[in-house]
Coordinates of all heavy atoms in Angstrom, one line a residue:
T8 N -4.9 8.6 3.1 CA -6.4 8.7 2.9 C -7.1 7.8 3.9 O -8.1 8.3 4.5 CB -6.7 8.2 1.6 OG1 -5.9 8.9 0.5 CG2 -8.1 8.3 1.2
A20 N -17.9 10.3 15.4 CA -18.4 9.5 16.6 C -18.4 10.3 17.9 O -19.3 10.2 18.7 CB -17.5 8.2 16.7
L22 N -18.8 13.6 18.1 CA -19.9 14.4 18.0 C -21.2 13.7 18.4 O -22.0 14.3 19.1 CB -19.9 15.1 16.6 CG -21.0 16.1 16.3 CD1 -20.8 17.4 17.2 CD2 -21.1 16.5 15.0
F26 N -23.7 13.9 22.5 CA -25.1 14.1 22.9 C -25.8 12.9 23.1 O -27.0 13.0 23.8 CB -25.7 14.9 21.8 CG -25.1 16.3 21.5 CD1 -24.2 16.4 20.4 CD2 -25.4 17.3 22.3 CE1 -23.7 17.6 20.1 CE2 -24.9 18.5 22.1 CZ -24.0 18.7 21.0
G29 N -24.6 8.6 28.1 CA -24.5 9.1 29.5 C -23.2 9.4 30.0 O -23.0 10.0 31.0
T30 N -22.1 8.8 29.4 CA -20.8 9.0 29.8 C -20.2 10.3 29.2 O -19.0 10.6 29.4 CB -19.9 7.8 29.4 OG1 -19.9 7.7 28.0 CG2 -20.3 6.5 30.0
S31 N -20.9 11.0 28.5 CA -20.5 12.3 27.9 C -20.2 13.3 29.0 O -20.8 13.4 30.0 CB -21.7 12.9 27.0 OG -21.3 14.2 26.6
N43 N -22.1 2.5 36.7 CA -21.5 2.9 37.9 C -20.9 1.7 38.6 O -19.8 1.8 39.2 CB -22.5 3.6 38.8 CG -22.9 5.0 38.3 OD1 -22.0 5.8 38.0 ND2 -24.2 5.3 38.3
Y45 N -19.9 -1.1 37.1 CA -18.7 -1.5 36.4 C -17.5 -0.7 36.6 O -16.4 -1.2 36.7 CB -19.1 -1.5 34.8 CG -20.2 -2.3 34.3 CD1 -21.0 -2.0 33.4 CD2 -20.6 -3.4 35.1 CE1 -22.1 -2.7 33.0 CE2 -21.8 -4.2 34.7 CZ -22.5 -3.7 33.6 OH -23.6 -4.4 33.3
L52 N -10.2 -3.0 40.6 CA -9.2 -3.8 40.1 C -7.9 -3.0 40.0 O -6.8 -3.6 40.3 CB -9.5 -4.2 38.6 CG -10.6 -5.3 38.4 CD1 -10.9 -5.4 36.9 CD2 -10.1 -6.6 38.9
A56 N -8.0 -4.9 44.4 CA -9.2 -5.8 44.8 C -9.3 -7.0 43.8 O -9.0 -6.9 42.7 CB -10.5 -4.9 44.8
L62 N -15.0 -7.5 45.6 CA -16.1 -6.8 45.0 C -16.9 -7.8 44.2 O -16.3 -8.7 43.5 CB -15.6 -5.7 44.0 CG -14.8 -4.5 44.7 CD1 -14.1 -3.7 43.6 CD2 -15.7 -3.7 45.6
H65 N -22.3 -9.7 38.9 CA -22.6 -11.0 38.1 C -22.1 -10.9 36.7 O -22.3 -11.9 36.0 CB -24.1 -11.4 38.1 CG -24.9 -10.3 37.7 ND1 -25.0 -9.9 36.4 CD2 -25.8 -9.5 38.4 CE1 -25.9 -8.8 36.3 NE2 -26.4 -8.6 37.5
L70 N -15.5 -7.0 30.9 CA -16.3 -5.8 31.1 C -15.6 -4.9 32.1 O -15.4 -3.8 32.0 CB -17.7 -6.0 31.4 CG -18.6 -4.9 31.4 CD1 -18.7 -4.2 30.1 CD2 -19.9 -5.3 31.9
L76 N -9.7 0.2 32.2 CA -8.8 0.9 31.3 C -9.4 2.3 31.3 O -8.7 3.4 31.2 CB -8.8 0.3 29.9 CG -8.1 0.9 28.8 CD1 -6.6 1.1 29.1 CD2 -8.3 0.3 27.6
L80 N -7.6 6.2 32.2 CA -7.6 7.3 31.5 C -8.1 8.6 32.2 O -7.6 9.6 32.0 CB -8.4 7.1 30.2 CG -7.8 6.1 29.2 CD1 -8.8 5.9 28.1 CD2 -6.4 6.5 28.8
H81 N -9.1 8.3 33.1 CA -9.7 9.4 33.9 C -10.2 8.8 35.2 O -11.1 8.0 35.3 CB -10.8 10.1 33.2 CG -11.3 11.3 33.8 ND1 -12.4 11.4 34.6 CD2 -10.8 12.6 33.9 CE1 -12.6 12.6 35.0 NE2 -11.6 13.4 34.6
L82 N -9.5 9.2 36.3 CA -9.8 8.5 37.5 C -11.0 8.9 38.3 O -11.6 8.1 39.1 CB -8.6 8.8 38.5 CG -7.2 8.2 38.1 CD1 -6.2 8.7 39.1 CD2 -7.3 6.7 38.1
T83 N -11.5 10.1 38.0 CA -12.7 10.5 38.9 C -14.0 10.5 38.2 O -15.1 10.8 38.8 CB -12.4 12.0 39.4 OG1 -12.3 12.8 38.2 CG2 -11.2 12.1 40.2
L86 N -15.1 10.1 31.9 CA -14.4 10.6 30.7 C -13.6 9.6 30.0 O -13.5 9.5 28.8 CB -13.6 11.9 31.0 CG -13.1 12.7 29.9 CD1 -14.3 13.2 29.1 CD2 -12.3 13.9 30.4
F90 N -13.9 8.3 26.2 CA -12.9 8.2 25.2 C -12.8 6.8 24.5 O -12.7 6.7 23.2 CB -11.5 8.6 25.7 CG -11.3 10.0 26.0 CD1 -10.7 10.4 27.2 CD2 -11.8 11.0 25.2 CE1 -10.4 11.7 27.5 CE2 -11.6 12.3 25.5 CZ -11.0 12.7 26.6
V93 N -15.7 6.5 22.1 CA -15.4 7.3 20.9 C -14.5 6.5 19.9 O -14.7 6.4 18.8 CB -14.8 8.7 21.2 CG1 -14.3 9.3 19.9 CG2 -15.9 9.6 21.8
L109 N -15.7 -1.4 -0.6 CA -15.6 -2.6 -1.4 C -16.8 -3.0 -2.1 O -16.8 -3.6 -3.3 CB -15.2 -3.8 -0.4 CG -13.8 -3.8 0.2 CD1 -13.7 -4.8 1.3 CD2 -12.8 -4.0 -0.9

Side-chain angles (χ1 to χ4, degrees):
T8 304
L22 183 65
F26 297 103
T30 59
S31 170
N43 290 312
Y45 305 150
L52 287 174
L62 296 170
H65 52 68
L70 188 60
L76 180 61
L80 297 174
H81 189 258
L82 294 175
T83 59
L86 193 60
F90 287 141
V93 167
L109 286 173

